[in-house]
């Protein structure tokens, strides 16, 4: 190994490399906490070590998804090996950069890239759909109640943060989002968990899975806020398509939540948000008009 992991980490890495039928010598590079890249010959792998709460369950979930989804041509990395005792997993390394990095890069997000992301998302949904029938009705109803409360809470917080926005327009966004059925989805939805390389797209970090609204989850995957507080989303490059109404509503509501600082980001100036808020619905247009009415903000809002 060419890096310097701790003795405990090296034992765990060696265990997963053995399980993946890898030789003793190769190039090992740290990627991030708990994540390593291994390269030797034709092998280029990610080695992931699971620690913290529910580490065993998260390992089992991610390994099972990589194994099963690959059978249905889902846009996920191919599975190599898992070792339960070492709480470790090996999968194929996916070249490219994260969607988060691409959204923040200079240059507009192209329509072909946006369509590639959307196609990959639909392929993932189709592959996961087989498991929906196995979910008991009681669990589905419980999840629906929780997700509806979540969206209503977000809408209420946004209305409180931006007084000039018509509250009923925000409610319309929320009602549009929850008009869909729940489906089984990855819950760690972030643009940092999509790898994009031209038309090639892959979803990574599938250690959490559960029931949620598809367009709300997709909005989380394809929307980011940069270090200057500027909203960026793949939706701005999507073609005008009536089938995307729920997606536009989800991205608009999620963007407002980011702008309101609900998840720890600095609040975005209403004047800036008015020109950046995605979504082409009547509700989104009314919200943009309302944001332009807010001429005063506190010093904490920048």
């Amino acid at each position: 190994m060419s890096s310097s992991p701790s003795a405990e980490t090296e034992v765990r890495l060696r265990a997963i490399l053995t399980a993946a039928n890898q030789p003793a010598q190769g190039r090992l590079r740290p990627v991030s906490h708990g994540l390593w890249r291994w390269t030797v010959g034709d092998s280029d792998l990610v080695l992931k070590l699971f620690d913290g709460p529910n580490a065993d369950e998260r390992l089992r979930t991610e390994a099972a998804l990589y194994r099963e989804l690959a059978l249905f041509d889902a846009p996920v990395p191919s599975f190599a090996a898992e070792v339960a005792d070492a709480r470790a997993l090996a999968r194929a390394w996916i070249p490219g950069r994260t969607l988060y990095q691409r959204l923040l890069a200079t240059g507009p997000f192209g329509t072909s890239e946006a369509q590639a992301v959307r196609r990959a998302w639909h392929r993932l949904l189709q592959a996961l759909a087989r498991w929906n029938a196995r979910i008991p009705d009681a669990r589905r109803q419980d999840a629906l109640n929780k997700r509806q409360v979540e969206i209503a809470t977000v809408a209420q917080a946004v209305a409180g943060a931006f007084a000039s926005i018509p509250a009923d327009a925000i409610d319309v966004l929320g009602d549009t989002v929850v008009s869909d059925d729940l489906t089984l989805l990855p819950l760690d939805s972030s643009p940092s968990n999509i790898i994009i390389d031209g038309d090639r797209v892959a979803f990574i970090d599938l250690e959490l899975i559960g029931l949620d609204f598809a367009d709300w989850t997709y909005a989380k995957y394809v929307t980011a806020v940069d270090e200057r507080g500027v909203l960026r989303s793949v939706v701005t490059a999507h073609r005008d398509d009536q089938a995307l109404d729920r997606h536009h509503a989800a991205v608009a509501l999620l963007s407002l939540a980011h702008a309101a600082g609900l998840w720890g980001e600095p609040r975005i100036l209403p004047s800036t948000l008015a020109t950046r808020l995605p979504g082409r619905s009547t509700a989104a247009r009314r919200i943009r008009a309302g944001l332009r009415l807010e001429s005063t903000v506190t010093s904490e809002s920048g």
Side-chain angles (χ1 to χ4, degrees):
M1 295 187 182
S2 58
S3 189
S4 301
S6 68
E8 177 193 2
T9 297
E10 185 168 0
V11 169
R12 295 170 68 186
L13 291 174
R14 180 52 60 194
I16 190 62
L17 286 171
T18 299
N21 297 316
Q22 294 299 300
Q25 298 300 318
R27 186 181 181 194
L28 181 71
R29 287 159 284 174
V31 177
S32 60
H33 180 71
L35 209 65
W36 302 76
R37 182 178 180 181
W38 169 265
T39 307
V40 59
D42 293 333
S43 294
D44 199 358
L45 301 176
V46 168
L47 311 178
K48 184 173 181 179
L49 304 183
F50 292 76
D51 293 299
N54 303 315
D56 295 332
E57 181 180 352
R58 290 186 286 114
L59 166 61
R60 286 195 301 271
T61 298
E62 186 157 10
L65 285 174
Y66 288 147
R67 281 195 304 264
E68 298 295 326
L69 291 177
L71 299 176
F72 302 101
D73 194 33
V76 300
S78 59
F79 173 79
E82 69 173 306
V83 178
D85 290 344
R87 300 189 308 282
L89 176 148
R91 63 158 174 86
W93 171 267
I94 303 296
R97 53 182 168 172
T98 67
L99 181 58
Y100 180 81
Q101 293 168 326
R102 176 62 187 91
L103 285 171
L104 271 56
T106 57
F109 201 88
T111 299
S112 63
E113 291 177 298
Q115 293 304 318
V117 172
R118 190 72 177 173
R119 285 195 302 270
W121 172 248
H122 283 303
R123 286 169 54 205
L124 181 63
L125 290 183
Q126 290 169 1
L128 286 168
R130 315 171 145 59
W131 284 272
N132 275 311
R134 306 177 190 177
I135 300 173
D137 290 341
R139 179 185 169 191
R140 189 178 295 277
Q141 185 59 49
D142 183 58
L144 177 61
N145 294 339
K146 290 178 180 177
R147 297 308 182 196
Q148 288 174 332
V149 169
E150 174 194 354
I151 300 301
T153 300
V154 169
Q156 183 178 16
V158 167
F162 297 107
S164 67
I165 297 179
D168 64 314
I170 300 174
D171 289 339
V172 168
L173 295 181
D175 291 343
T176 303
V177 172
V178 302
S179 66
D180 198 8
D181 294 328
L182 290 184
T183 189
L184 200 63
L185 299 164
L187 298 183
D188 194 1
S189 43
S190 159
S192 295
N193 287 337
I194 295 181
I195 304 296
I196 183 168
D197 184 16
D199 288 339
R200 184 180 182 186
V201 177
F203 292 80
I204 61 171
D205 287 351
L206 305 180
E207 58 187 72
L208 298 174
I209 192 167
L211 291 164
D212 207 341
F213 299 109
D215 285 292
W216 181 243
T217 300
Y218 183 68
K220 294 178 183 179
Y221 266 123
V222 301
T223 304
V225 180
D226 69 16
E227 65 280 358
R228 296 174 297 161
V230 176
L231 287 162
R232 301 179 184 274
S233 179
V234 171
V235 73
T236 59
H238 276 311
R239 294 174 184 149
D240 193 20
D241 185 345
Q242 290 299 318
L244 296 178
D245 283 348
R246 269 196 300 263
H247 173 54
H248 278 269
V251 172
L253 183 59
L254 184 71
S255 298
L256 286 165
H258 280 302
L262 298 191
W263 292 295
E265 300 110 340
R267 282 195 58 181
I268 297 175
L269 290 170
S271 57
T272 300
L273 183 59
T275 63
R276 295 279 184 171
L277 183 70
R280 52 170 167 66
S281 66
T282 299
R285 289 196 294 271
R286 291 180 63 205
I287 289 168
R288 282 191 287 269
L291 287 167
R292 292 188 179 97
L293 298 175
E294 281 196 40
S295 58
T296 58
V297 293
T298 68
S299 60
E300 298 177 348
S301 298

